[in-house]
Amino acid sequence: MSQDLTTFVYLVASVCFIMALRGLSHPKTSLQGNMFGMVGMTLAILATIASPIVTSYVGIIVAIAVGGTAGAVIARTIDMTALPQLVAAFHSLVGLAAVLVAGSAFYAPEAYNIGVPGDIKTASLIEMAIGAGIGAITFTGSILAFGKLQGLITGKPVVFPGQHLFNAALGVAIVLLVVLFAVSQPQWAFWAIVVIALALGVLLIIPIGGADMPVIVSMLNSYSGWAAAGVGFTLGNNLLIITGALVGSSGAILSYIMCKGMNRSFFNVILGGFGGEAGAGSADTGDKSVNSGSAEDASFILANAGSVIIVPGYGLAVGQAQQAVREMADMLKGMGVNVRYAIHPVAGRMPGHMNVLLAEANVPYDEVLEMEEINRDFQQTDVAFVIGANDITNPAAEDDPQSPIYGMPVLKVDDAKTVLFVKRSLSPGYAGIDNPLFYRDNTMMLFGDAKQMTESIVKALEDQ
């Protein structure tokens, strides 16, 4: 394949990636978007293999076989609840790849037409240094994020005196090393950049509390894109530059949207220190009493309601209750009840987590509404059925100026006539604070596993 034809196929692949992002922006077109992404990646791989610069296919074939097999196994076995940490793990691989490719370009520049060892183009040196630095930060940062999401590392913010100043000093050191590397090309400067960036990746993530992990996942997604774009400049690969820029910018935009959904600035999030493990910083419930009920109580209330809004949260994902919830909703609709779903932008542990779960259960897209579309309707709703959603329903965000989440937009489920709250216990959510909604007169707590409780409600509805 000629270089001109390779460039043309790369252009087509880039268009496919753009269409993929457009499709993935809405559940109705997500499948189409995913197909565009797969077609684009297939074209990119085939064009690269057929490129005249490729002289050996053994390594490529082995890499595709190993990577393809691993990807197929993971796709078939991964639990939906583990998707956030899977995304973080994949981001770490992108970061590591950026570091390795930059190192390869530094030690064998003639293979990339950027010079010879000791005499590499200045622009290429800057590009590979930036790509390696961002890649190293992404690698260790994503590993830390994976550990926090998987529960292997504490979800509490880890802070120490002078932390931000120390991180800033490391950032300045990386910039100075990039300048030195571009001027005199010492090997030690390249690896110093990588080592400091690896440390910075750890230090940037450890102060992030559990409540902010959805933002961090999208932020690391952005980092991985910029790392790929930086390496793309080094390699002179237009496709890598375009796709890296797409991933980097979309991840940055998504991070901004997530921060807006929590009424916090992006810098406030990355500076860390907010949110922790369940129980951390929770208010003393003292002798507060709650109204608890059974599945039979809930089924009676639901069957006699005119309208129900279901609010899913991470508890839905943990309990794998999406199919049971869909069955319950279908039964209620058969009884003439108007059933809809309310999605908060930061529900779950990654952007779109709840949308994916509901789509898996074949919930009709027109019944799933975003917070700004449905929040006003709670006042005219008979029952708000909250299943495992804690912080995003906490009225303290509006009522208590002293609350850490004050000002965060929340779903106003407390405006409904009755709130049915499915939860294992009264433990706080990822933000580590108590939820006053549990103790409201119009709230009935349904203690138990999300799936088991919902299935019990379905059985009770069948018996009516």
Side-chain angles (χ1 to χ4, degrees):
M1 180 182 292
S2 66
Q3 190 61 46
D4 289 342
L5 183 56
T6 300
T7 302
F8 175 75
V9 176
Y10 279 171
L11 178 61
V12 175
S14 299
V15 173
C16 288
F17 292 143
I18 293 172
M19 295 301 294
L21 285 177
R22 181 182 180 184
L24 292 171
S25 65
H26 194 280
K28 285 186 178 180
T29 57
S30 59
L31 182 59
Q32 183 184 43
N34 204 30
M35 291 300 297
F36 271 116
M38 289 190 292
V39 170
M41 185 56 67
T42 301
L43 289 174
I45 293 173
L46 292 177
T48 300
I49 293 175
S51 173
I53 63 174
V54 178
T55 58
S56 175
Y57 297 95
V58 176
I60 294 176
I61 293 173
V62 171
I64 291 177
V66 173
T69 301
V73 171
I74 291 172
R76 290 181 177 275
T77 59
I78 191 71
D79 292 330
M80 294 296 287
T81 52
L83 278 180
Q85 45 265 55
L86 176 66
V87 172
F90 282 166
H91 289 162
S92 72
L93 296 179
V94 176
L96 179 59
V99 174
L100 295 177
V101 172
S104 174
F106 178 58
Y107 283 98
E110 63 277 4
Y112 304 95
N113 296 319
I114 58 175
V116 295
D119 187 22
I120 302 174
K121 298 176 183 177
T122 301
S124 297
L125 290 169
I126 296 174
E127 292 156 3
M128 71 175 67
I130 293 175
I134 298 177
I137 292 173
T138 304
F139 176 62
T140 50
S142 297
I143 291 177
L144 262 291
F146 171 85
K148 282 176 175 280
L149 291 169
Q150 189 67 17
L152 302 176
I153 303 173
T154 178
K156 296 180 180 180
V158 178
V159 296
F160 55 85
Q163 186 171 29
H164 300 319
L165 184 61
F166 183 67
N167 290 348
L170 291 182
V172 171
I174 291 176
V175 172
L176 294 176
L177 284 169
V178 169
V179 173
L180 175 63
F181 180 66
V183 172
S184 55
Q185 308 183 26
Q187 292 186 15
W188 68 265
F190 176 84
W191 293 113
I193 292 171
V194 172
V195 171
I196 295 176
L198 289 172
L200 189 57
V202 174
L203 294 171
L204 285 174
I205 301 302
I206 57 172
I208 308 297
D212 289 330
M213 288 314 296
V215 179
I216 296 306
V217 170
S218 60
M219 182 189 74
L220 290 169
N221 176 58
S222 178
Y223 285 179
S224 68
W226 297 126
V231 172
F233 279 107
T234 301
L235 303 181
N237 189 308
N238 293 331
L239 179 62
L240 200 54
I241 295 171
I242 293 172
T243 53
L246 287 173
V247 173
S249 57
S250 61
I253 292 170
L254 185 57
S255 298
Y256 168 77
I257 293 173
M258 300 286 284
C259 289
K260 187 178 179 181
M262 297 189 299
N263 194 35
R264 299 174 64 205
S265 71
F266 180 73
F267 289 105
N268 179 258
V269 172
I270 63 175
L271 289 178
F274 175 73
E277 292 176 322
S282 60
D284 181 10
T285 59
D287 58 355
K288 293 180 182 178
S289 61
V290 299
N291 300 317
S292 61
S294 63
E296 290 72 21
D297 297 328
S299 68
F300 178 81
I301 295 172
L302 289 167
N304 289 277
S307 58
V308 173
I309 296 179
I310 299 173
V311 180
Y314 186 64
L316 175 91
V318 173
Q320 289 288 283
Q322 58 269 30
Q323 297 290 349
V325 169
R326 164 70 192 273
E327 186 179 357
M328 181 188 74
D330 287 345
M331 292 189 67
L332 292 175
K333 286 188 287 185
M335 298 177 180
V337 181
N338 179 28
V339 180
R340 292 176 295 169
Y341 299 79
I343 305 297
H344 192 281
V346 295
R349 290 191 177 181
M350 67 178 289
H353 200 177
M354 296 302 106
N355 302 79
V356 171
L357 291 174
L358 296 179
E360 183 190 33
N362 294 317
V363 171
Y365 297 128
D366 57 354
E367 295 178 6
V368 181
L369 302 174
E370 300 298 326
M371 179 176 64
E372 61 271 13
E373 298 176 299
I374 200 171
N375 233 5
R376 295 181 180 178
D377 295 350
F378 281 107
Q379 293 181 344
Q380 291 81 41
T381 300
D382 293 322
V383 178
F385 186 82
V386 184
I387 180 164
N390 197 339
D391 298 326
I392 60 173
T393 63
N394 195 328
E398 295 184 327
D399 304 338
D400 184 7
Q402 304 303 317
S403 173
I405 64 171
Y406 182 70
M408 170 181 166
V410 293
L411 289 165
K412 300 180 180 180
V413 297
D414 53 318
D415 287 343
K417 294 178 183 178
T418 302
V419 179
L420 298 178
F421 210 120
V422 181
K423 202 173 185 298
R424 290 179 180 271
S425 67
L426 294 176
S427 61
Y430 238 26
I433 59 175
D434 192 32
N435 192 340
L437 180 62
F438 299 159
Y439 316 104
R440 296 284 175 92
D441 293 336
N442 65 331
T443 299
M444 176 182 287
M445 299 298 299
L446 304 173
F447 293 111
D449 174 79
K451 183 178 182 180
Q452 293 177 0
M453 177 59 70
T454 307
E455 289 177 339
S456 298
I457 294 174
V458 170
K459 185 177 185 302
L461 286 171
E462 291 173 341
D463 294 339
Q464 289 190 22

